[in-house]
Amino acid sequence: MNTYSAFLAAKEISIPVLVIHDNNDLEVPVTAGINIHRHLKNGELLLTDGLGHRKILGNSKVIEKTVQFIQNK
């Protein structure tokens, strides 16, 4: 696990991917989500504010965007 890099692994993914990250995530810096998105061939990025690392999963706008993303792919 110490040598794993999510953004390097993202280079190998060709399916559509929705990356969701909060600007105020204190556990994982937002730059991690941005770097993953930059390396995806078919990625979309949704940045949120004020949800941190855990509240993001229950946010109605995030859920709506996720459902919309899945339905359109």
Side-chain angles (χ1 to χ4, degrees), residues 45-68:
L45 178 63
L46 172 62
L47 294 177
T48 61
D49 287 303
L51 298 176
H53 191 74
R54 303 208 191 305
K55 291 179 186 174
I56 203 165
L57 296 174
N59 180 268
S60 61
K61 290 181 182 178
V62 171
I63 293 168
E64 182 180 328
K65 177 63 179 173
T66 304
V67 169
Q68 188 179 54

Side-chain angles (χ1 to χ4, degrees), residues 5-11 19 21 29-41 45 47:
S5 171
F7 80 88
L8 291 177
K11 291 180 179 182
V19 178
H21 209 107
V30 69
T31 53
I34 293 169
N35 283 332
I36 290 169
H37 173 252
R38 284 186 182 149
H39 288 86
L40 289 167
K41 296 175 182 137
L45 178 63
L47 294 177

